[in-house]
Amino acid sequence: MHKDFKPFSTLILAGLLSLNLTSCHDDDNEDTAKPQVEADFIGKAVGNFSAEEWYPGGELGTTDNVAAGCYEDETPAVAKMNLMDAFNKGEAFFERNFNTGTPPFNGLGPAAVRKSCLDCHPAYGHGKRVDRYTASWGNGYLLVVYHPVDGANSDDGPYISEVTGMPQTIATSPFLPPINEDMIDLQWKEVTAMESGIPMQFADGETYQLIYPELSIPLMAFNTDPLPTNIAFRLESTIGIIGTGLIDAIPDDSIKAQYQREAPYVELNPAMWDKAANDWAPTAMYTANGVNRIKKFTYACTRGSLQDGAGANAIWNITNVSRSDRPYLYSTNAWAKKMSETPSVIAAIKADPNSPYYADGTEEGIADAVLNLLSPGTNQFDNPWHNFQPEMSDINFWSFMVWHRGLAIPRARNLNDPEVQQGKKVFNEIGCATCHRPRWETTKDDYWSPDILTKAGLVLPRYQNQVIYPYTDMVQHRLYMKNGIHGSWCRTTPLWGRGLSKINTGAEDRLHDCRARNEIEAIMWHGYSKNSDAYESTLKFYNLSKKDRDAVVKFLRSI
C-alpha cells in the first residue's frame, strides 16, 4: 500500500466526525468541505488499485479521453515520435471505402469481404451482433466455412479450399461473389438449459438468458467449380483494435513464461505448446523475413506480429487491395474457374473492349483470361498472366500501420469507487485473473517490421518499458460453447477499454461471435460445459451474491 494512502472508509469517518464537531461548536457555520470526486484520485493509489492502473496503456499508450470517440485517439507515443501526419493519413485508409479506380483508395475486388475496414469495426470497436449477414457497415462478422471432423456439429476441421479463408460475399462487376450473401441464413437460438447443469436463475431469483448463432448456407449460394462438400459454418466477430500496438510490444519471452506457469495445471493447445519439452511447439512459430515470432494475434493465434497480421493482413485480403509485398489476389482457383464458365461474365467482358479480361475478344480468349487473371498466386512471377502493379503504395501502407500500432487505450474509470474495488477483489478470488492476467511489461519493444518499411527507414510507434493492464494471459483456452469457435482453442480476449463500448459503438456485445449481450451473459457462457477451462470460476460467480455480481460487472466496465 502506498505510504501516503488512507483507506477511503477512514476518510469518510474523519469527515463525519468533522461535521459533528463543527455542528457542536458553530451551528451557523455552513459546511464547505469539498466532495470527493474521481478527479481527486486519478493517478493515485486507491483501495486495491495501484496508481499505474489508472493508465492501462502506460504513459505512452493511454488517452485521458473517456468520452464518445475515445477509441479513435492516438497514443502519446505517436505525438512524441512526430508521427501524427502519418497517423491521420492511416486513419483515412481505415475509414474510407475502397473502389475500383480512384487513388489512393483504388483496388477493390474483384471479390472482397468488405469495402472498408470501418465496416467490420464500427466506431473502431469490436464487431456488432447482427440478425442478417450483409457485407455492410456494422457487421463485424467473418464467415468460417470448414470441413467438420468428428461429426457434423464439430467446431474442428480444416477450411474448405473452394472459397478463401475469410469468405468473400461481394464482387465488382461483372463478377459474381464467391458466396451469395442473400442466401445466408442466420438465426439466433436460445439456450434452454446449460449443458453443465448450472441453473439459468441465480439463487436470489435473477435470471439470465443465453443465445447462440446458427448459420446455414445452401450449395447454390456458392459460385465455385467444384462446389464444396461436407461443410459446416461458424461466425467470428472482429476483435477490438484499440491498444493492439501495446499487445504487440509484449515480449515473446514473457508469453513463454506465462505458458510455463499454466502448463502444469491446464491442457494447452499442442499446436502451440510441447508439454513434454515444456517449450514452444514448432508450429507456434511464425516466420517473416527470416525472423521467428510467437503466434499471438487473432483468436486462433495465427500471426506473430501486428505488422504482418491482424490489420496488415486485413487491409490486403478484406478489400483485396494489393501492395508491393503482396502483389497478388486473394482468391481461389474454384472461383476463378466458375467465373470463366459463367455466360453473363463472358458476355459483359465481350461488350467492353477496354476490360483487362478482353484478350482477343473471343469467348474462348476471354474465358482463358478470366481463369488465369482471377486465379491466386504466391507472388507476381508464378503466373505469367499476373503483372499487377501494387494498388497501395509502401508509404501509404506505412501510414496505415502507424495508425494501427498507434491506437490508444482509454484511461480507467471509477477506481476510487468501493464497489469497483470489491469487484476487483472478487474477480481475483474466483479465479478470473488466472486467464485474464492484468499486468504485463513491454520492456524494449523490439517490434518486427516488414522489409518494405525497414529498408526505407520508416518507423512505427514504440512502447518501451511500459507497464500495461490488458487483462489477458495471451494463451489459448477452450470453453466448449454451443456452436463454439472454429478450432475450439481461443486466445483470451483483452478486457481493457471494453466498458466504453456502449458510448463508442452503441453495443456491448462480447465473446468471439457477439453472442453475449452483456457481461453476465459473457461470464455464464464460460460455464456452459463442465469441460470448459473456466467452468470452476463460472460456478463460483454463479454462487456469488447479487451485490458481488454487480460489483464484478462494474469493475469490468471500469478497466
Side-chain angles (χ1 to χ4, degrees):
M1 184 178 291
H2 192 279
K3 65 181 181 179
D4 296 326
F5 171 74
K6 293 184 179 179
F8 191 60
S9 57
T10 302
L11 291 173
I12 293 175
L13 179 59
L16 291 173
L17 288 172
S18 175
L19 285 174
N20 287 336
L21 289 171
T22 301
S23 178
C24 290
H25 289 90
D26 187 358
D27 291 342
D28 297 325
N29 187 15
E30 186 175 325
D31 177 27
T32 58
K34 179 183 178 183
Q36 292 177 343
V37 295
E38 182 185 69
D40 297 330
F41 296 93
I42 294 173
K44 299 176 183 178
V46 57
N48 52 2
F49 288 98
S50 65
E52 63 192 11
E53 288 181 81
W54 286 99
Y55 299 95
E59 177 187 355
L60 295 177
T62 307
T63 174
D64 272 310
N65 181 17
V66 294
C70 62
Y71 283 2
E72 304 176 29
D73 284 4
E74 73 280 357
T75 62
V78 171
K80 287 186 177 183
M81 295 178 67
N82 297 315
L83 294 172
M84 277 305 304
D85 287 346
F87 179 90
N88 291 332
K89 187 176 182 181
E91 183 176 64
F93 285 104
F94 172 80
E95 293 184 348
R96 287 281 298 273
N97 280 352
F98 281 81
N99 57 66
T100 57
T102 307
F105 303 102
N106 59 302
L108 179 70
V113 182
R114 298 287 192 282
K115 293 181 180 180
S116 79
C117 304
L118 190 62
D119 284 347
C120 286
H121 298 276
Y124 289 62
H126 189 281
K128 290 185 179 183
R129 187 174 58 86
V130 299
D131 294 324
R132 181 172 176 268
Y133 189 97
T134 59
S136 58
W137 185 88
N139 175 17
Y141 287 122
L142 300 173
L143 296 174
V144 180
V145 188
Y146 63 103
H147 297 298
V149 297
D150 301 325
N153 294 322
S154 171
D155 292 333
D156 300 320
Y159 291 103
I160 70 172
S161 62
E162 287 80 10
V163 298
T164 52
M166 294 183 182
Q168 300 151 323
T169 61
I170 58 176
T172 55
S173 181
F175 303 111
L176 306 177
I179 299 177
N180 182 349
E181 66 179 25
D182 291 336
M183 298 185 185
I184 298 173
D185 182 35
L186 169 59
Q187 296 187 29
W188 289 95
K189 303 289 186 176
E190 288 194 11
V191 171
T192 56
M194 298 276 272
E195 188 179 278
S196 63
I198 296 178
M200 299 191 70
Q201 180 174 346
F202 297 104
D204 50 53
E206 182 176 306
T207 61
Y208 63 92
Q209 295 178 317
L210 301 181
I211 60 172
Y212 63 92
E214 193 165 88
L215 200 65
S216 63
I217 309 175
L219 283 181
M220 66 178 63
F222 289 82
N223 291 304
T224 64
D225 185 7
L227 292 170
T229 58
N230 180 33
I231 54 178
F233 313 99
R234 291 290 183 264
L235 284 179
E236 286 184 16
S237 177
T238 48
I239 60 171
I241 55 176
I242 55 174
T244 41
L246 293 154
I247 293 291
D248 192 50
I250 295 174
D252 286 356
D253 287 347
S254 296
I255 299 175
K256 179 177 180 177
Q258 181 68 25
Y259 271 80
Q260 289 175 328
R261 278 192 290 270
E262 295 189 25
Y265 307 105
V266 66
E267 183 182 356
L268 300 178
N269 185 355
M272 291 292 294
W273 192 252
D274 184 334
K275 187 173 183 178
N278 197 32
D279 204 347
W280 297 117
T283 48
M285 298 292 176
Y286 184 84
T287 303
N289 293 352
V291 177
N292 289 330
R293 287 295 169 96
I294 296 304
K295 296 175 181 177
K296 58 184 178 182
F297 279 103
T298 74
Y299 295 117
C301 288
T302 56
R303 297 278 171 172
S305 165
L306 185 65
Q307 287 67 249
D308 199 52
N313 189 50
I315 196 67
W316 167 65
N317 62 15
I318 294 295
T319 57
N320 227 343
V321 173
S322 64
R323 57 179 190 260
S324 66
D325 63 335
R326 296 189 184 190
Y328 46 91
L329 290 177
Y330 185 57
S331 62
T332 67
N333 290 319
W335 179 66
K337 185 171 186 293
K338 179 64 175 180
M339 293 303 95
S340 72
E341 301 166 343
T342 302
S344 63
V345 171
I346 303 302
I349 295 172
K350 190 173 184 179
D352 181 13
N354 294 318
S355 169
Y357 307 93
Y358 188 77
D360 62 3
T362 67
E363 292 185 1
E364 293 78 10
I366 292 170
D368 197 35
V370 168
L371 176 65
N372 285 283
L373 284 171
L374 295 188
S375 65
T378 55
N379 59 58
Q380 67 267 50
F381 304 113
D382 69 345
N383 186 330
W385 286 81
H386 290 181
N387 187 24
F388 300 140
Q389 294 298 314
E391 292 151 339
M392 173 174 272
S393 70
D394 292 351
I395 198 72
N396 287 341
F397 174 62
W398 168 68
S399 296
F400 179 78
M401 291 314 302
V402 167
W403 167 85
H404 198 354
R405 207 172 201 269
L407 285 172
I409 279 292
R411 175 180 53 74
R413 289 82 53 209
N414 304 317
L415 305 189
N416 56 298
D417 186 333
E419 186 178 1
V420 174
Q421 295 168 16
Q422 174 67 5
K424 178 185 179 181
K425 177 176 178 287
V426 175
F427 183 85
N428 289 324
E429 286 176 346
I430 65 177
C432 300
T434 303
C435 295
H436 289 285
R437 170 182 166 177
R439 186 181 188 275
W440 291 84
E441 295 183 26
T442 63
T443 65
K444 59 183 178 180
D445 188 14
D446 58 342
Y447 65 79
W448 177 89
S449 189
D451 282 349
I452 60 174
L453 303 188
T454 56
K455 287 180 178 178
L458 297 170
V459 300
L460 300 171
R462 195 174 181 187
Y463 306 100
Q464 296 168 288
N465 303 313
Q466 300 297 291
V467 176
I468 63 175
Y469 287 81
Y471 284 85
T472 173
D473 60 358
M474 302 298 291
V475 176
Q476 289 178 300
H477 298 282
R478 291 180 295 184
L479 299 183
Y480 294 98
M481 293 184 283
K482 176 76 172 178
N483 284 10
I485 191 167
H486 174 246
S488 294
W489 298 93
C490 184
R491 192 197 74 175
T492 304
T493 299
L495 299 178
W496 59 358
R498 293 298 302 278
L500 293 169
S501 178
K502 183 73 171 180
I503 65 169
N504 278 279
T505 71
E508 295 179 294
D509 305 322
R510 293 181 181 241
L511 298 181
H512 72 280
D513 56 9
C514 295
R515 64 176 61 197
R517 294 161 290 188
N518 53 55
E519 292 87 353
I520 295 291
E521 291 185 12
I523 293 169
M524 296 313 299
W525 265 117
H526 284 60
Y528 176 77
S529 168
K530 285 187 176 180
N531 294 322
S532 167
D533 289 350
Y535 168 73
E536 293 297 334
S537 291
T538 309
L539 185 59
K540 290 177 181 177
F541 179 84
Y542 171 80
N543 287 318
L544 293 175
S545 66
K546 176 171 173 54
K547 182 177 180 180
D548 278 346
R549 293 198 309 271
D550 290 346
V552 170
V553 170
K554 194 167 186 180
F555 161 72
L556 292 173
R557 293 183 176 183
S558 298
I559 57 175

